Amino acid sequence: MRVIQCVTTTQLLGLTNKDSKGETVMALLAINVRNQLRGRVKDILWGDIVSEVEIETSSGIVTSVITTRSIKELALETGSEVLALVKATDVAIARV
């Protein structure tokens, strides 16, 4: 996958207008997030508004909380191949 700096979200996600069924199509053409972990959905804990998605990667389990609507729009289910994209604005450190 190429790493580029994107100008707009539409360019970033490679959005097209509609497919043959009249649905909005989204294809990941390029992304500027460098921390990417490829994996498979291990489990989904469903909620009314937000849900928790566990992704099994070669580095371990990554958990993401996203909207339930997004899970449905992405058609995620156990076993789906996904990319976990980690974009943090800060990292907290605690002394042990």
Side-chain angles (χ1 to χ4, degrees), residues 24-76:
T24 300
V25 176
M26 181 171 43
L28 188 61
L29 301 177
I31 192 158
N32 67 349
V33 177
R34 296 181 190 273
N35 299 322
Q36 304 173 23
L37 300 168
R38 182 178 297 273
R40 291 198 180 273
V41 175
K42 181 178 179 183
D43 192 24
I44 300 174
L45 180 60
W46 293 94
D48 292 335
I49 305 299
V50 294
S51 297
E52 188 175 301
V53 180
E54 284 188 357
I55 303 164
E56 191 165 13
T57 74
S58 60
S59 300
I61 300 293
V62 174
T63 302
S64 177
V65 176
I66 63 174
T67 63
T68 301
R69 179 179 178 176
S70 293
I71 293 173
K72 291 176 182 177
E73 288 176 355
L74 291 168
L76 294 181

Side-chain angles (χ1 to χ4, degrees), residues 90-96:
D90 59 52
V91 175
I93 299 176
R95 185 174 176 157
V96 292

